[in-house]
Amino acid sequence: MTTRVTINRLATGVPGLDEVLGGGLPEFSFNVIAGAPGCGKTTLAHQMMFTLASAERPALYLTVLGEPPMKMLRYQQQFDFFDNEAINRHVHFVNLSDDAATGNFDRLLRRIVSEVEAHAPAVVFVDSFRSMARAGMVQNAQEHDLQQFVQHLGLLMTSWQATSFLIGEYSNETDANPVFTVADGMICLRQSVQRNSMVRKIEVMKMRGQATLPGLHSFRISPAGIRVFAPAYIVDPECAGASQHAPETRLSMGIPELDKMFGGGLPQGFSLLVAGPSGSGKSILAGAFLAAGAARGETGVMVAFEQHPNRSRQRVVAELIESGQVGLITTRAPDTSIDEIVHRITDEVHRIKATRVVIDSLTGFELLVAPTFQSDFRESQLRLVTALAGAGVTVLMTAELEDRYNELRFNPFGTASLTDAIIVQRYIEVESRLLRVMAVAKVRASNHSSELRLYSIDEDGIQVGESLPDQEGLLGGRPTRKPDKPDRSVTGAKSDPEDSGQAGSSS
């Protein structure tokens, strides 16, 4: 019978990082924080240090040829996590620049050991380790001596009863340095300029003894410090499956005739795509959806990527926001990832206990995000829909419809296949007039109307009228001959938008 050693995991105090690490930092582990200058290494280290440090668990921060402690603290104290009262109590800063400048590795190693013995820390940071190596090379130290120093320091840090960190400006040299071999964990920070945006990402390349989340995860530096945006589908694992409501549970769209077209309303927990050309009333329909929930005492969230819902544009939604029945999320920052947006949405959902979410519009979001996150945009959209469904909310998303009259293409990333239901809005020309028509193109596992219904927009919102008469034979203002087979091009209800992202074509 074998007895397994239990490894205590420490909370980093960095939102989202513990999820990426697989549950937190292993206690007494030796870790490397690597990245290019300016990517947030020191900020990450300080945020973790002030979280972990206490009277029972003191922290020691050693600076080597980097910023002097006073200069570094001057800027770090701008963050919310900074605790000025902890300095020189259970957070100690020691400047080793004089020892490092000599290039004497033995002397530097002895000084580090003596400081650790004097303070008996539970958490140790050495910033910047790369500076120590460079100092030795400037003094023409032998490469062999440098490697020995690195190995001795790494072995010492693994032997201390402390959770230790080496901070260095490493980017593409992770395979060439012996310190990475003895390290228990490696956290790499990266940044890149894409268009007019600074995109920051973090990767846990190594963490012994636990399963980390692979890949690059976006993060943001704000006055609160660093926040890591873990993949959207794990935002709230306790809610997974919460949206699997029975189809009989229906929600009103706020438009009685449209509820009838759905067969009694939109199934609770579904994701609905409202696709239509500009001016077709997508945002008005979304506002009616939120208002219908508010009338039943429900709360909602409006995510606006295009126009702000003010009184001049969407009076109903603006009033709901002012009353607190609807929370508003709006952003135009081009470095915003889908995972960050999902975190913001779920935070707001939990804050006001919302049951309905409107995203207006996906087209605006694509224009904002796709240039920066083009490579994984469709995958991220799937995570967005999955995470919101997992949070137990009903989601309505709008999208600009590319209406060519002979095909319906919902958007270039195939959002149609990711949603449970679709409403299509279109213009048709009749007797030199543009009329609006809509149809329910898709509702999973549910009977729904396939009629193409005329509708109008007035001061009271959307008014759904009668079905488009079959004898008119009109599509886009062009007379068509009576087909030999049932014409499927009008509603698109018989096409398969899940596979193609389109809803039918005309003859």
Side-chain angles (χ1 to χ4, degrees):
M1 180 178 179
T2 59
T3 303
R4 294 185 179 181
V5 176
T6 300
I7 299 178
N8 185 34
R9 289 182 171 85
L10 306 175
T12 62
V14 180
L17 181 57
D18 291 347
E19 290 90 337
V20 174
L21 289 172
L25 275 171
E27 191 174 23
F28 306 139
S29 60
F30 164 44
N31 306 280
V32 174
I33 301 176
C39 64
K41 301 184 301 299
T42 301
T43 301
L44 176 64
H46 278 78
Q47 191 167 347
M48 290 193 292
M49 179 178 65
F50 280 104
T51 298
L52 296 172
S54 65
E56 297 76 23
R57 187 191 289 136
L60 176 63
Y61 200 100
L62 305 171
T63 60
V64 184
L65 288 184
E67 295 177 295
M70 291 302 296
K71 179 182 178 182
M72 181 171 54
L73 294 178
R74 176 186 178 189
Y75 292 101
Q76 290 297 311
Q77 67 181 350
Q78 306 301 317
F79 291 105
D80 295 344
F81 60 75
F82 189 88
D83 183 4
N84 191 58
E85 295 183 356
I87 305 299
N88 296 328
R89 290 188 177 181
H90 43 266
V91 173
H92 304 278
F93 286 86
V94 177
N95 190 352
L96 302 181
S97 58
D98 291 341
D99 299 271
T102 65
N104 188 323
F105 289 137
D106 291 336
R107 172 182 170 179
L108 184 58
L109 194 60
R110 288 194 300 269
R111 177 70 189 281
I112 293 174
V113 172
S114 66
E115 292 295 341
V116 170
E117 291 175 348
H119 293 92
V123 187
V124 179
F125 293 85
V126 179
D127 183 6
S128 149
F129 171 72
R130 181 67 179 274
S131 298
M132 288 193 292
R134 283 178 173 173
M137 298 185 74
V138 168
Q139 298 296 328
N140 296 320
Q142 296 295 321
E143 181 70 19
H144 176 70
D145 295 337
L146 175 61
Q147 290 186 0
Q148 279 194 334
F149 168 77
V150 170
Q151 292 172 348
H152 288 165
L153 179 61
L155 291 173
L156 278 173
M157 297 184 80
T158 58
S159 66
W160 294 335
Q161 289 295 298
T163 307
S164 54
F165 300 84
L166 288 182
I167 305 167
E169 280 122 12
Y170 291 93
S171 53
N172 299 321
E173 306 170 33
T174 55
D175 296 331
N177 199 299
V179 73
F180 302 123
T181 303
V182 297
D184 300 309
M186 279 193 61
I187 302 174
C188 296
L189 280 64
R190 305 180 186 182
Q191 65 180 7
S192 61
V193 177
Q194 300 182 20
R195 297 170 69 92
N196 295 324
S197 306
M198 174 66 76
V199 178
R200 291 185 169 96
K201 295 188 177 183
I202 189 170
E203 179 183 14
V204 180
M205 297 187 64
K206 176 182 181 182
M207 191 59 63
R208 286 186 174 132
Q210 58 196 55
T212 61
L213 293 179
L216 297 170
H217 310 284
S218 62
F219 72 93
R220 184 177 294 279
I221 302 177
S222 71
I226 287 178
R227 178 172 183 179
V228 178
F229 302 104
Y233 54 79
I234 66 159
V235 169
D236 194 352
E238 295 182 359
C239 292
S243 64
Q244 303 303 317
H245 302 282
E248 292 77 12
T249 306
R250 301 273 177 157
L251 301 179
S252 173
M253 295 292 300
I255 304 172
E257 289 299 320
L258 183 55
D259 291 341
K260 293 179 183 179
M261 294 173 67
F262 272 109
L266 179 66
Q268 186 176 1
F270 270 33
S271 56
L272 167 65
L273 174 67
V274 180
S278 177
S280 60
K282 301 183 296 297
S283 297
I284 295 175
L285 194 155
F289 174 71
L290 291 174
R296 297 180 50 190
E298 301 177 23
T299 53
V301 175
M302 163 66 80
V303 187
F305 291 111
E306 293 183 345
Q307 294 182 341
H308 189 284
N310 55 38
R311 285 183 175 270
S312 63
R313 296 191 181 98
Q314 299 184 50
R315 177 178 55 83
V316 173
V317 176
E319 291 175 353
L320 292 174
I321 293 172
E322 291 174 3
S323 67
Q325 291 178 280
V326 169
L328 175 64
I329 295 175
T330 180
T331 181
R332 292 186 179 276
D335 60 344
T336 304
S337 68
I338 286 188
D339 289 330
E340 179 177 355
I341 286 296
V342 173
H343 277 265
R344 292 182 61 184
I345 295 173
T346 53
D347 287 348
E348 189 69 5
V349 166
H350 294 154
R351 185 183 71 84
I352 65 175
K353 297 180 173 57
T355 57
R356 301 188 183 206
V357 172
V358 165
I359 299 176
D360 187 23
S361 72
L362 287 177
T363 307
F365 191 31
E366 290 169 1
L367 294 175
L368 178 71
V369 176
T372 304
F373 298 93
Q374 175 77 47
S375 59
D376 57 354
F377 189 82
R378 179 173 167 80
E379 177 187 353
S380 297
Q381 271 194 323
L382 174 61
R383 295 207 304 269
L384 181 148
V385 174
T386 303
L388 294 179
V393 299
T394 306
V395 186
L396 185 153
M397 300 174 285
T398 68
E400 193 79 9
L401 178 68
E402 186 180 348
D403 192 345
R404 298 178 179 175
Y405 292 101
N406 62 349
E407 66 175 355
L408 299 179
R409 183 174 296 277
F410 295 110
N411 66 28
F413 297 100
T415 306
S417 64
L418 307 179
T419 56
D420 301 309
I422 299 173
I423 293 176
V424 178
Q425 298 176 332
R426 299 190 69 175
Y427 291 115
I428 63 171
E429 184 183 345
V430 178
E431 297 179 353
S432 300
R433 294 176 57 204
L434 280 180
L435 300 180
R436 297 181 177 95
V437 294
M438 73 165 60
V440 176
K442 166 186 172 182
V443 182
R444 293 190 196 276
S446 178
N447 292 325
H448 62 88
S449 170
S450 60
E451 294 178 315
L452 195 65
R453 303 284 293 269
L454 291 164
Y455 71 97
S456 60
I457 301 175
D458 58 25
E459 60 182 7
D460 295 322
I462 290 179
Q463 309 299 329
V464 178
E466 59 186 9
S467 301
L468 189 68
D470 291 337
Q471 62 267 27
E472 291 286 345
L474 298 173
L475 179 61
R478 294 173 296 161
T480 59
R481 65 177 179 83
K482 185 176 180 180
D484 297 331
K485 296 181 180 180
D487 186 2
R488 298 178 179 177
S489 65
V490 178
T491 64
K494 299 300 183 180
S495 65
D496 190 3
E498 294 187 53
D499 296 329
S500 66
Q502 300 182 4
S505 60
S506 65
S507 58

